[in-house]
Amino acid sequence: MSKVLYALKDVEHSYAQRTVLRIPALDIYTGEILALVGPSGAGKSTLLRLLALLEAPVRGTLHLHLGERPITKADARIHERRQLGMVFQRPILLSRSVRANVAYGLRLRGQRDANAQVDAMLERIAMRDLADARAQTLSGGELQRVALARALILEPRLLLLDEPTANLDPHNVHLIETLLREQHERYHTTLVLVTHNVFQAKRLATRVALLLDGELVEIAPSAAFFESPRDPRTAAFISGDLIY
Amino acid sequence: MLASAALGIPLGAWLALTPFRGRRILTALIYTGMGLPPVLVGLIVYLFLSRSGPFGSLGWLFSFQAMVVAQTIIATPLILGVTMSSVLAIPHELRLQLQSLGATHWQTTLAVLWEARLGVIVGLVAGFGSIISEVGAVMLVGGNIEGRTRVLTTAIVLETRQGHFDVALALGIILLALSFVSNSALVILQHRTGAPS
Ligand SMILES: Nc1ncnc2c1ncn2[C@@H]1O[C@H](COP(=O)(O)OP(=O)(O)O)[C@@H](O)[C@H]1O
Ligand SMILES: [Mg+2]
């Protein structure tokens, strides 16, 4: 039995009076790879921002359990926030070199001499040659790899990923999925992965959740989710019949 | 110049990053300030510093201090306004992304300001340009006293009036050269920092 990392209870979130997320209960466990699937507009990114403690839910409670005391957005301390990482749906790199972007989080933590670590990370994302290139000159796949690298290098206990391979070619998709698997095996990093690609969820996740119109339709271990979905909408989504 | 930068950059960043009621009106005021006629600034500073004015007891009229005050009032809105608009041009989501990498509030602000560095440099260039080429205000509040409050521009006015066109022209060339050197320094700075252009 794994430890509960996140406990959500009666969580609701809204923008401009419009409720976009309503989750009566959800637990996320230490060490799991949870995939959040669903059509666009379902509220996946919103849920990730709540999990990242970047926003607080309008109603209900969201507790993150890193140590003894449960943490919310309001009382998260910097050393606690620094144990979680997030890769955004549309990453924005700093207008500096690739190397400086990858090293950014380490420098924030006061680590001046991070060259060896950064080199090793650049090697892992196959970008040693582009170390001194300006971040603004990168292709889509390269940009996404740098965005992932700047989060991975911090070895967070928990990594939230918002469609990290959307619109990428198969080569880059494979590279990124490999990096994620490695990180999970090496550091037992808990991963919460948003994707609208059910095949990716199948390849990576230990548990899968389907979000529709801000509601959690079904959450189940990967095998059960794909082989014996309980909800007809899950079955429809998996088979690609869900029209939106 | 330093006073304007010290006031304008932090204030500009703060205004861009902190939403509050009345920010729009303040922004409009700043943009008005950017186009403030220098002679008007000079006149107002003159009135404030004159013997019967509220700050008359300082005895700053016709002194170096008076010129600094006037120049600061002229250049600060320029630097502030340009800094603010270039910080506003940085996408808001960058702040969230930097926070997710473990940046504190301060570290986020510094990084955003660094992203806006091109705009800040442009603001400094504009501020410096307005200061060294300004005549009316420094003439009014400084008085163009030789060895104390005479600057290049006011010296040019004087020499021209006295018919010393050669001297005036030479001073003009020095002024131009000075402006060129300082602006080049800023352009080089901009290149060194790798600011996007
Ligand atoms: N910052 C925001 N302001 C207003 N509406 C938002 C904001 N973020 C998301 N929304 C709305 O919330 C809903 C869910 O969006 P999102 O979480 O981005 O969905 P997904 O990531 O599943 O595509 C959408 O209708 C979207 O328009
Ligand atoms: Mg999204």
Side-chain angles (χ1 to χ4, degrees), chain A residues 66 77-83:
Chain A
L66 289 170
R77 303 202 184 104
I78 185 71
H79 76 273
E80 290 159 339
R81 276 211 288 115
R82 284 182 172 174
Q83 295 179 44

mmCIF file with all atom_site columns, all heavy atoms in Angstrom, chain A residues 66 77-83:
data_model
loop_
_atom_site.group_PDB
_atom_site.id
_atom_site.type_symbol
_atom_site.label_atom_id
_atom_site.label_alt_id
_atom_site.label_comp_id
_atom_site.label_asym_id
_atom_site.label_entity_id
_atom_site.label_seq_id
_atom_site.pdbx_PDB_ins_code
_atom_site.Cartn_x
_atom_site.Cartn_y
_atom_site.Cartn_z
_atom_site.occupancy
_atom_site.B_iso_or_equiv
_atom_site.pdbx_formal_charge
_atom_site.auth_seq_id
_atom_site.auth_comp_id
_atom_site.auth_asym_id
_atom_site.auth_atom_id
_atom_site.pdbx_PDB_model_num
ATOM 1  N N   . LEU A 1 66 ? 3.988  15.824 1.878  1.00 0.00 ? 66 LEU A N   1
ATOM 2  C CA  . LEU A 1 66 ? 5.412  15.571 1.625  1.00 0.00 ? 66 LEU A CA  1
ATOM 3  C C   . LEU A 1 66 ? 6.095  15.088 2.892  1.00 0.00 ? 66 LEU A C   1
ATOM 4  O O   . LEU A 1 66 ? 7.020  14.289 2.849  1.00 0.00 ? 66 LEU A O   1
ATOM 5  C CB  . LEU A 1 66 ? 6.100  16.851 1.126  1.00 0.00 ? 66 LEU A CB  1
ATOM 6  C CG  . LEU A 1 66 ? 5.735  17.318 -0.287 1.00 0.00 ? 66 LEU A CG  1
ATOM 7  C CD1 . LEU A 1 66 ? 6.304  18.705 -0.536 1.00 0.00 ? 66 LEU A CD1 1
ATOM 8  C CD2 . LEU A 1 66 ? 6.230  16.335 -1.332 1.00 0.00 ? 66 LEU A CD2 1
ATOM 9  N N   . ARG A 1 77 ? 5.894  26.184 1.879  1.00 0.00 ? 77 ARG A N   1
ATOM 10 C CA  . ARG A 1 77 ? 7.148  26.933 2.015  1.00 0.00 ? 77 ARG A CA  1
ATOM 11 C C   . ARG A 1 77 ? 8.012  26.651 0.803  1.00 0.00 ? 77 ARG A C   1
ATOM 12 O O   . ARG A 1 77 ? 7.806  25.675 0.085  1.00 0.00 ? 77 ARG A O   1
ATOM 13 C CB  . ARG A 1 77 ? 7.858  26.510 3.298  1.00 0.00 ? 77 ARG A CB  1
ATOM 14 C CG  . ARG A 1 77 ? 6.962  26.721 4.506  1.00 0.00 ? 77 ARG A CG  1
ATOM 15 C CD  . ARG A 1 77 ? 7.742  26.825 5.795  1.00 0.00 ? 77 ARG A CD  1
ATOM 16 N NE  . ARG A 1 77 ? 6.785  26.934 6.904  1.00 0.00 ? 77 ARG A NE  1
ATOM 17 C CZ  . ARG A 1 77 ? 6.494  25.923 7.730  1.00 0.00 ? 77 ARG A CZ  1
ATOM 18 N NH1 . ARG A 1 77 ? 7.115  24.765 7.610  1.00 0.00 ? 77 ARG A NH1 1
ATOM 19 N NH2 . ARG A 1 77 ? 5.618  26.087 8.691  1.00 0.00 ? 77 ARG A NH2 1
ATOM 20 N N   . ILE A 1 78 ? 9.007  27.504 0.632  1.00 0.00 ? 78 ILE A N   1
ATOM 21 C CA  . ILE A 1 78 ? 9.788  27.407 -0.591 1.00 0.00 ? 78 ILE A CA  1
ATOM 22 C C   . ILE A 1 78 ? 10.504 26.050 -0.699 1.00 0.00 ? 78 ILE A C   1
ATOM 23 O O   . ILE A 1 78 ? 10.533 25.430 -1.758 1.00 0.00 ? 78 ILE A O   1
ATOM 24 C CB  . ILE A 1 78 ? 10.781 28.599 -0.730 1.00 0.00 ? 78 ILE A CB  1
ATOM 25 C CG1 . ILE A 1 78 ? 11.509 28.550 -2.064 1.00 0.00 ? 78 ILE A CG1 1
ATOM 26 C CG2 . ILE A 1 78 ? 11.763 28.674 0.410  1.00 0.00 ? 78 ILE A CG2 1
ATOM 27 C CD1 . ILE A 1 78 ? 10.631 28.869 -3.248 1.00 0.00 ? 78 ILE A CD1 1
ATOM 28 N N   . HIS A 1 79 ? 11.020 25.511 0.408  1.00 0.00 ? 79 HIS A N   1
ATOM 29 C CA  . HIS A 1 79 ? 11.736 24.227 0.306  1.00 0.00 ? 79 HIS A CA  1
ATOM 30 C C   . HIS A 1 79 ? 10.777 23.077 -0.008 1.00 0.00 ? 79 HIS A C   1
ATOM 31 O O   . HIS A 1 79 ? 11.178 22.055 -0.540 1.00 0.00 ? 79 HIS A O   1
ATOM 32 C CB  . HIS A 1 79 ? 12.557 23.949 1.573  1.00 0.00 ? 79 HIS A CB  1
ATOM 33 C CG  . HIS A 1 79 ? 11.733 23.494 2.747  1.00 0.00 ? 79 HIS A CG  1
ATOM 34 N ND1 . HIS A 1 79 ? 11.148 24.392 3.605  1.00 0.00 ? 79 HIS A ND1 1
ATOM 35 C CD2 . HIS A 1 79 ? 11.387 22.260 3.179  1.00 0.00 ? 79 HIS A CD2 1
ATOM 36 C CE1 . HIS A 1 79 ? 10.477 23.721 4.523  1.00 0.00 ? 79 HIS A CE1 1
ATOM 37 N NE2 . HIS A 1 79 ? 10.604 22.426 4.299  1.00 0.00 ? 79 HIS A NE2 1
ATOM 38 N N   . GLU A 1 80 ? 9.500  23.292 0.324  1.00 0.00 ? 80 GLU A N   1
ATOM 39 C CA  . GLU A 1 80 ? 8.507  22.273 -0.030 1.00 0.00 ? 80 GLU A CA  1
ATOM 40 C C   . GLU A 1 80 ? 8.103  22.406 -1.500 1.00 0.00 ? 80 GLU A C   1
ATOM 41 O O   . GLU A 1 80 ? 8.031  21.418 -2.222 1.00 0.00 ? 80 GLU A O   1
ATOM 42 C CB  . GLU A 1 80 ? 7.280  22.404 0.882  1.00 0.00 ? 80 GLU A CB  1
ATOM 43 C CG  . GLU A 1 80 ? 7.585  21.986 2.309  1.00 0.00 ? 80 GLU A CG  1
ATOM 44 C CD  . GLU A 1 80 ? 6.614  22.539 3.336  1.00 0.00 ? 80 GLU A CD  1
ATOM 45 O OE1 . GLU A 1 80 ? 5.931  23.561 3.047  1.00 0.00 ? 80 GLU A OE1 1
ATOM 46 O OE2 . GLU A 1 80 ? 6.531  21.974 4.424  1.00 0.00 ? 80 GLU A OE2 1
ATOM 47 N N   . ARG A 1 81 ? 7.875  23.651 -1.906 1.00 0.00 ? 81 ARG A N   1
ATOM 48 C CA  . ARG A 1 81 ? 7.517  23.866 -3.313 1.00 0.00 ? 81 ARG A CA  1
ATOM 49 C C   . ARG A 1 81 ? 8.628  23.346 -4.239 1.00 0.00 ? 81 ARG A C   1
ATOM 50 O O   . ARG A 1 81 ? 8.374  22.904 -5.345 1.00 0.00 ? 81 ARG A O   1
ATOM 51 C CB  . ARG A 1 81 ? 7.289  25.365 -3.577 1.00 0.00 ? 81 ARG A CB  1
ATOM 52 C CG  . ARG A 1 81 ? 5.896  25.827 -3.217 1.00 0.00 ? 81 ARG A CG  1
ATOM 53 C CD  . ARG A 1 81 ? 5.424  26.974 -4.100 1.00 0.00 ? 81 ARG A CD  1
ATOM 54 N NE  . ARG A 1 81 ? 6.087  28.243 -3.827 1.00 0.00 ? 81 ARG A NE  1
ATOM 55 C CZ  . ARG A 1 81 ? 6.872  28.853 -4.710 1.00 0.00 ? 81 ARG A CZ  1
ATOM 56 N NH1 . ARG A 1 81 ? 7.103  28.321 -5.890 1.00 0.00 ? 81 ARG A NH1 1
ATOM 57 N NH2 . ARG A 1 81 ? 7.432  30.009 -4.406 1.00 0.00 ? 81 ARG A NH2 1
ATOM 58 N N   . ARG A 1 82 ? 9.860  23.431 -3.755 1.00 0.00 ? 82 ARG A N   1
ATOM 59 C CA  . ARG A 1 82 ? 10.978 23.016 -4.591 1.00 0.00 ? 82 ARG A CA  1
ATOM 60 C C   . ARG A 1 82 ? 11.092 21.509 -4.753 1.00 0.00 ? 82 ARG A C   1
ATOM 61 O O   . ARG A 1 82 ? 11.960 21.016 -5.448 1.00 0.00 ? 82 ARG A O   1
ATOM 62 C CB  . ARG A 1 82 ? 12.284 23.607 -4.032 1.00 0.00 ? 82 ARG A CB  1
ATOM 63 C CG  . ARG A 1 82 ? 12.397 25.071 -4.360 1.00 0.00 ? 82 ARG A CG  1
ATOM 64 C CD  . ARG A 1 82 ? 13.666 25.696 -3.875 1.00 0.00 ? 82 ARG A CD  1
ATOM 65 N NE  . ARG A 1 82 ? 13.759 27.062 -4.398 1.00 0.00 ? 82 ARG A NE  1
ATOM 66 C CZ  . ARG A 1 82 ? 14.706 27.923 -4.061 1.00 0.00 ? 82 ARG A CZ  1
ATOM 67 N NH1 . ARG A 1 82 ? 15.663 27.570 -3.231 1.00 0.00 ? 82 ARG A NH1 1
ATOM 68 N NH2 . ARG A 1 82 ? 14.714 29.130 -4.592 1.00 0.00 ? 82 ARG A NH2 1
ATOM 69 N N   . GLN A 1 83 ? 10.206 20.758 -4.081 1.00 0.00 ? 83 GLN A N   1
ATOM 70 C CA  . GLN A 1 83 ? 10.220 19.307 -4.287 1.00 0.00 ? 83 GLN A CA  1
ATOM 71 C C   . GLN A 1 83 ? 9.289  18.890 -5.403 1.00 0.00 ? 83 GLN A C   1
ATOM 72 O O   . GLN A 1 83 ? 9.207  17.722 -5.747 1.00 0.00 ? 83 GLN A O   1
ATOM 73 C CB  . GLN A 1 83 ? 9.832  18.605 -2.984 1.00 0.00 ? 83 GLN A CB  1
ATOM 74 C CG  . GLN A 1 83 ? 10.862 18.838 -1.888 1.00 0.00 ? 83 GLN A CG  1
ATOM 75 C CD  . GLN A 1 83 ? 10.469 18.176 -0.600 1.00 0.00 ? 83 GLN A CD  1
ATOM 76 O OE1 . GLN A 1 83 ? 10.034 17.030 -0.585 1.00 0.00 ? 83 GLN A OE1 1
ATOM 77 N NE2 . GLN A 1 83 ? 10.602 18.898 0.500  1.00 0.00 ? 83 GLN A NE2 1
#
